[in-house]
Amino acid sequence: MRTLYHLWLSPPCRQVRLILGEKGLACELKTEDVWRRRPEFIKLNPAGEVPVLVTDDVVVAGAAVIAEFLDETVPEPALIAGSAAERAEIRRLAHWFDRKFNAEVTENLVGEKVMKRFLGTGYPDSRAIRAGKENIHYHLDYVGWLTERRTWLAGDRLSVADMAAAAHLSALDYLGDVPWAEHEPAKHWYARIKSRPSFRPILADRLPGEPPPKHYDDLDF
Amino acid sequence: MRTLYHLWLSPPCRQVRLILGEKGLACELKTEDVWRRRPEFIKLNPAGEVPVLVTDDVVVAGAAVIAEFLDETVPEPALIAGSAAERAEIRRLAHWFDRKFNAEVTENLVGEKVMKRFLGTGYPDSRAIRAGKENIHYHLDYVGWLTERRTWLAGDRLSVADMAAAAHLSALDYLGDVPWAEHEPAKHWYARIKSRPSFRPILADRLPGEPPPKHYDDLDF
């Protein structure tokens, strides 16, 4: 049996849930309030962060590391597939969202609006929120540019690059912070990935006291 | 022929140079002043960051992505070796330094003291520098704890985890910011990796107008 320690609106956790879904792997979800720094959890991951995947005999921490581990141990369908160059392109784009998009957009919006409340690190910073809302346009343009030239973000095949991007955008979409109307090509790509069965559990997520906008789980948004 | 676009004191660039050295691969180094946002370079890596490795027909961006690419295309010596679980442990620790150590230590020291000057983003923040100098102790304790239990950071074999850690620590050591005397076990590990032939070019680096402390290139520091 597999257990995933996670947080509901965390993009790296959603990325792992999408990968598990695409590979058809059942997994028990356990919410881990990382800010409590529970000693048993710190033993699993000294970094004190989610996601952490625990299988019968292995503990794997971090979305990018879990993605590689799952693609090595459950090869079908491959989500980091192709030649070394194609795999590098998949990883480049997954990292783009894990690091660049995260720092420029997600931290400024999900981080300020939601995580600060949980972590008790103060009130949302309106300048950060403004920066996040500005920065997202450039990234959505890039998603559009890529998917007008390729079937999926990194090439012909669905890959962890799509999972990483969709995980971040789905968390922002829950807050109503994705200006889809101004980014038709990115919206078309998101509509395709949103309609996959692996996405259904993500669309069923609800944060107590913070319902998503109506279009969040609508496949014809 | 290979070309690596890099910056002298950048830990992710040093990490790639160490990997190239361990694999015995020749590589031309080109300094890329990323703050100029040179259009030809942005075409190579839209993220505008170093390192970028260019081979005859492939462009690979980002230290973690380049590490995977080199281990797939030049398998000997393997630096991400072993079972899926062993590979996950190597990647967990490489990510630890690429992200956690970078945010908690490197950004506060190399970032404040050196990069801010190049990027023209203001004066060093003394609170950040203080935080970096405090945070490094916990990480050096962790390096010591690991290497008292294992031959190398992630297990029996030298791996990209060691390259990632040594790359960060070597950049900080250039600034005289590693309190080796208080961390004997970490120092023993660093002495071993520092004496490898792959490390020599790193120890020969000199930043104009900013010489390193005397012990920087001393193998008996």
Side-chain angles (χ1 to χ4, degrees):
Chain A
M1 189 49 195
R2 276 170 219 92
T3 305
L4 182 71
Y5 292 86
H6 84 131
L7 280 171
W8 290 104
L9 221 54
S10 149
C13 297
R14 288 182 160 211
Q15 184 182 335
V16 174
R17 290 165 68 197
L18 289 171
I19 294 169
L20 290 164
E22 287 293 329
K23 291 186 180 279
L25 301 173
C27 189
E28 186 193 4
L29 294 180
K30 283 194 181 165
T31 308
E32 180 63 38
D33 297 340
V34 291
W35 49 90
R36 297 194 200 279
R37 299 192 62 76
R38 200 166 54 86
E40 295 81 3
F41 181 68
I42 301 295
K43 264 187 219 156
L44 291 179
N45 182 15
E49 293 163 359
V50 285
V52 173
L53 181 71
V54 180
T55 68
D56 294 331
D57 52 356
V58 186
V59 179
V60 193
V65 182
I66 296 171
E68 300 280 349
F69 176 80
L70 288 174
D71 232 46
E72 289 179 6
T73 52
V74 187
E76 293 297 332
L79 295 170
I80 309 172
S83 68
E86 288 168 324
R87 289 158 63 86
E89 178 65 356
I90 292 167
R91 292 181 180 121
R92 178 183 76 83
L93 287 166
H95 280 263
W96 178 291
F97 287 93
D98 285 346
R99 299 195 69 155
K100 190 173 171 64
F101 187 95
N102 185 64
E104 296 174 0
V105 183
T106 308
E107 284 292 335
N108 285 326
L109 295 169
V110 182
E112 291 293 326
K113 291 181 176 182
V114 181
M115 289 313 293
K116 264 191 167 174
R117 198 191 327 150
F118 287 123
L119 298 170
T121 50
Y123 292 98
D125 176 346
S126 61
R127 278 173 315 177
I129 291 174
R130 215 158 37 233
K133 287 189 185 230
E134 253 169 52
N135 294 340
I136 197 172
H137 289 289
Y138 147 71
H139 290 278
L140 289 170
D141 282 344
Y142 191 41
V143 167
W145 188 87
L146 289 168
T147 53
E148 284 181 322
R149 282 156 182 81
R150 303 166 168 181
T151 313
W152 296 100
L153 280 189
D156 286 345
R157 299 186 194 88
L158 181 79
S159 77
V160 295
D162 299 282
M163 312 277 120
H168 279 271
L169 285 165
S170 72
L172 294 160
D173 203 34
Y174 190 98
L175 302 177
D177 278 340
V178 186
W180 294 120
E182 299 167 55
H183 296 277
E184 278 295 322
K187 184 180 170 177
H188 285 143
W189 162 82
Y190 189 66
R192 277 192 290 138
I193 200 160
K194 190 177 176 176
S195 64
R196 297 180 74 83
S198 66
F199 225 87
R200 260 176 235 151
I202 304 278
L203 298 180
D205 282 359
R206 290 296 177 273
L207 228 63
E210 184 132 24
K214 278 204 182 113
H215 74 264
Y216 174 72
D217 57 1
D218 180 1
L219 298 183
D220 285 321
F221 58 112
Chain B
M1 190 52 195
R2 278 170 219 91
T3 305
L4 182 70
Y5 293 85
H6 85 130
L7 280 171
W8 290 105
L9 222 54
S10 150
C13 297
R14 289 182 160 212
Q15 185 182 335
V16 174
R17 290 166 67 198
L18 289 171
I19 294 169
L20 290 164
E22 287 294 329
K23 290 184 180 282
L25 301 173
C27 188
E28 185 193 6
L29 294 180
K30 284 195 181 164
T31 307
E32 181 64 36
D33 297 340
V34 291
W35 50 89
R36 298 194 201 280
R37 298 192 62 77
R38 200 165 55 85
E40 295 81 2
F41 181 69
I42 301 295
K43 263 186 218 155
L44 291 179
N45 182 15
E49 293 163 359
V50 285
V52 173
L53 181 72
V54 180
T55 68
D56 293 331
D57 51 356
V58 186
V59 178
V60 192
V65 182
I66 295 171
E68 299 280 349
F69 176 80
L70 287 174
D71 231 48
E72 289 178 7
T73 53
V74 186
E76 292 298 330
L79 295 170
I80 309 172
S83 67
E86 288 168 324
R87 289 158 62 85
E89 178 65 357
I90 292 167
R91 292 181 179 120
R92 177 183 77 82
L93 286 166
H95 279 262
W96 178 290
F97 287 93
D98 285 347
R99 299 196 69 154
K100 191 174 171 64
F101 187 94
N102 185 63
E104 296 174 0
V105 183
T106 309
E107 283 293 334
N108 285 326
L109 294 169
V110 182
E112 290 294 326
K113 291 182 178 183
V114 181
M115 290 312 293
K116 264 190 167 175
R117 198 191 328 149
F118 287 122
L119 298 168
T121 49
Y123 293 99
D125 176 345
S126 61
R127 279 174 315 178
I129 291 174
R130 215 157 36 233
K133 287 188 184 235
E134 254 169 52
N135 294 340
I136 197 172
H137 290 289
Y138 147 71
H139 289 278
L140 289 170
D141 282 342
Y142 192 40
V143 167
W145 188 88
L146 289 168
T147 52
E148 284 181 322
R149 282 156 183 80
R150 303 166 169 181
T151 314
W152 295 100
L153 279 188
D156 287 344
R157 297 185 194 89
L158 181 79
S159 76
V160 295
D162 299 282
M163 311 278 120
H168 279 271
L169 285 165
S170 72
L172 293 160
D173 202 34
Y174 190 98
L175 302 178
D177 278 340
V178 186
W180 293 119
E182 299 167 55
H183 297 277
E184 279 294 323
K187 184 179 169 177
H188 286 143
W189 161 83
Y190 189 66
R192 277 193 289 138
I193 200 160
K194 190 176 176 178
S195 64
R196 297 180 74 83
S198 66
F199 225 86
R200 262 176 234 151
I202 304 278
L203 298 181
D205 282 359
R206 291 295 177 271
L207 227 64
E210 184 133 25
K214 277 203 184 112
H215 74 264
Y216 174 73
D217 55 1
D218 179 1
L219 298 182
D220 284 320
F221 59 111

